[in-house]
Amino acid sequence: MDLFEYQGKQYFARFDIPVSPGGVADTVDAAVAQSEKIGYPVVIKAQVQIGGRGKAGGIKLANNAEETRFHAQNILGMDIRGHIVRRLWIEKASDIKREYYASFTLDRSAKKYLGLLSAKGGIDIEQVAKEDPEAIARIHVDPVEGLSTDICRKWVEAAKLDPEAHDGAVDILLKLYRCYTQGDADLVEINPLILTPAGKVHALDAKVTLDDSAAERHPEWDEYRGLEQLEERERLAKEKDLQYVALSGSVGIIANGAGLAMSTVDIVNQVGGSPANFLDIGGGANAQVMINALTVINTDPAVKAIFINIFGGITRCDEVAKGIVEAMSRVELRAPIIARLDGTNADQGRMILKENESARLIMMPDMLSAAKRAVEIAGA
Ligand code: GDP
Ligand code: MN
């Protein structure tokens, strides 16, 4: 689960990471009231779950009520790359001497945590990684050993932060590490982490992704739920208990099991196509689940072919086949289906599809030929 900046800062504050005092506002009047309470100058910040708000005009400095009113008016309702601003975070403006970058995430292949630190923060870190990779100091942290003060200090030196920022940076990074591990996050990122002219190190932005698998340990996360900005289709999928991730291509994908769904995404790419989504209908998928899945995919206007890839284990192929046929009678699908069924009750399933085969429902004998066919149709 992704947090908004203001929630991320509240999360940081629990771990004693220094952030600016501030408050949220959903209206222009509330923005003015917050600004008066905080004291000028303040920064008005669009709360959307996407970066680059500064460049998009979603972050403005205000020196008085009139300026707050003006900026809040402009920013509320603003569309930042498809994300509509519904809420503002207003905080005490900071003086900035330098902008750094810091983050922790998981490096799955190394089976360790990965810390990134750079003296070139504030701007696109992806761009820094591409143009000046040396400017990012990386460390791997063994989860069992943890992060020691010593190693953290060497890391800060390697990143070439200004000497006066060293103590403050070490302190924040150790706290950020605690936030990442004890706070059960998948990602914590501070960009920019700033050095003030007074020599203080401070988090000016917050990006936190919580690990949903740890939700059981954190009843307090409930307050974040319902505020998430999901796309309409993702919301529909969530309502129907489907594991759906939107992608940008033209081949809709339905598979049972996350592993098979990922392989299906891969094979579509491999044969030159582009997946429109990842959708895992899970084990034990029945006819209703297939109807739900097709309903969700059908709301995506980019979909030109729907590749259904099922390997029956607990899931029975005849059930899936019934679901496909029933869905086709109930929902007017925008794209033809290319189906591959294998595993439990595959023969019965194929028989059901065979009786209903048409240009809108194509059966293929294996995964590769089905992928090729789907991409051929989507590309045409
Ligand atoms: P992002 O563009 O979505 O990453 O939003 P950030 O919160 O990182 O803000 C973008 C940029 O706005 C920062 O890199 C700063 O340069 C600037 N900024 C944000 N808050 C302040 C502040 O309190 N004072 C000053 N002077 N600049 C700020
Ligand atoms: Mn930022």
Side-chain angles (χ1 to χ4, degrees), residues 43-362:
V43 180
I44 318 265
K45 308 187 77 173
Q47 296 301 290
V48 282
Q49 289 172 334
I50 193 161
R53 295 165 302 162
K55 272 187 219 159
I59 293 179
K60 296 284 181 193
L61 194 80
N63 289 298
N64 51 50
E66 199 187 331
E67 289 182 13
T68 290
R69 194 165 285 284
F70 178 76
H71 293 309
Q73 185 90 52
N74 279 339
I75 297 173
L76 280 169
M78 184 184 268
D79 181 334
I80 300 184
R81 280 179 288 143
H83 295 244
I84 307 295
V85 181
R86 305 257 175 247
R87 180 164 280 186
L88 305 170
W89 167 250
I90 297 171
E91 70 174 32
K92 186 92 187 157
S94 303
D95 288 332
I96 303 176
K97 184 170 177 192
R98 290 290 297 268
E99 301 197 15
Y100 308 132
Y101 172 95
S103 69
F104 285 104
T105 182
L106 180 66
D107 182 345
R108 287 173 200 280
S109 53
K111 298 197 171 88
K112 286 184 177 157
Y113 301 136
L114 174 66
L116 302 181
L117 182 64
S118 175
K120 287 195 169 179
I123 37 176
D124 247 344
I125 197 69
E126 283 84 5
Q127 198 183 323
V128 177
K130 225 184 280 165
E131 289 166 9
D132 191 7
E134 299 289 300
I136 301 172
R138 301 157 175 265
I139 51 160
H140 276 109
V141 184
D142 187 312
V144 178
E145 288 168 14
L147 179 62
S148 71
T149 310
D150 254 14
I151 290 178
C152 196
R153 190 162 287 281
K154 291 201 179 88
W155 182 30
V156 167
E157 282 161 14
K160 301 196 177 77
L161 302 195
D162 305 67
E164 57 185 304
H166 283 199
D167 288 350
V170 168
D171 182 60
I172 282 206
L173 290 167
L174 290 171
K175 286 169 177 166
L176 187 63
Y177 181 76
R178 224 167 293 137
C179 173
Y180 176 65
T181 51
Q182 290 169 18
D184 283 314
D186 273 337
L187 167 77
V188 289
E189 183 188 81
I190 308 179
N191 187 29
L193 174 70
I194 59 158
L195 171 66
T196 69
K200 291 255 184 309
V201 181
H202 181 107
L204 214 60
D205 193 6
K207 186 164 177 201
V208 175
T209 305
L210 299 173
D211 176 1
D212 289 319
S213 311
E216 226 176 335
R217 281 205 284 266
H218 298 275
E220 79 278 11
W221 287 1
D222 282 352
E223 66 171 293
Y224 302 136
R225 277 181 222 293
L227 292 171
E228 284 172 284
Q229 279 187 333
L230 295 179
E231 294 208 5
E232 200 45 45
R233 203 166 302 118
E234 289 177 319
R235 196 191 314 275
L236 185 65
K238 202 166 188 181
E239 245 171 54
K240 296 184 182 294
D241 254 334
L242 299 165
Q243 299 297 323
Y244 175 92
V245 180
L247 300 169
S248 55
S250 58
V251 179
I253 286 173
I254 297 175
N256 63 318
L260 184 61
M262 281 190 266
S263 306
T264 310
V265 166
D266 283 349
I267 204 165
V268 165
N269 275 311
Q270 200 182 315
V271 300
S274 58
N277 67 278
F278 166 102
L279 200 168
D280 167 18
I281 55 172
N286 56 28
Q288 185 57 48
V289 173
M290 182 52 73
I291 292 168
N292 291 346
L294 283 166
T295 307
V296 168
I297 289 202
N298 209 41
T299 62
D300 183 352
V303 168
K304 298 287 183 280
I306 302 169
F307 179 8
I308 300 179
N309 190 10
I310 301 296
F311 193 93
I314 307 168
T315 306
R316 290 168 37 196
C317 289
D318 53 330
E319 269 288 316
V320 169
K322 275 187 216 153
I324 295 174
V325 172
E326 200 177 323
M328 291 183 75
S329 71
R330 282 215 237 155
V331 190
E332 198 181 328
L333 294 177
R334 62 171 69 246
I337 290 175
I338 300 86
R340 173 260 181 160
L341 300 180
D342 229 322
T344 308
N345 292 2
D347 288 340
Q348 290 96 311
R350 288 177 188 158
M351 206 115 76
I352 294 167
L353 291 190
K354 191 96 207 144
E355 288 161 13
N356 293 275
E357 224 173 358
S358 71
R360 307 293 295 168
L361 176 57
I362 299 158

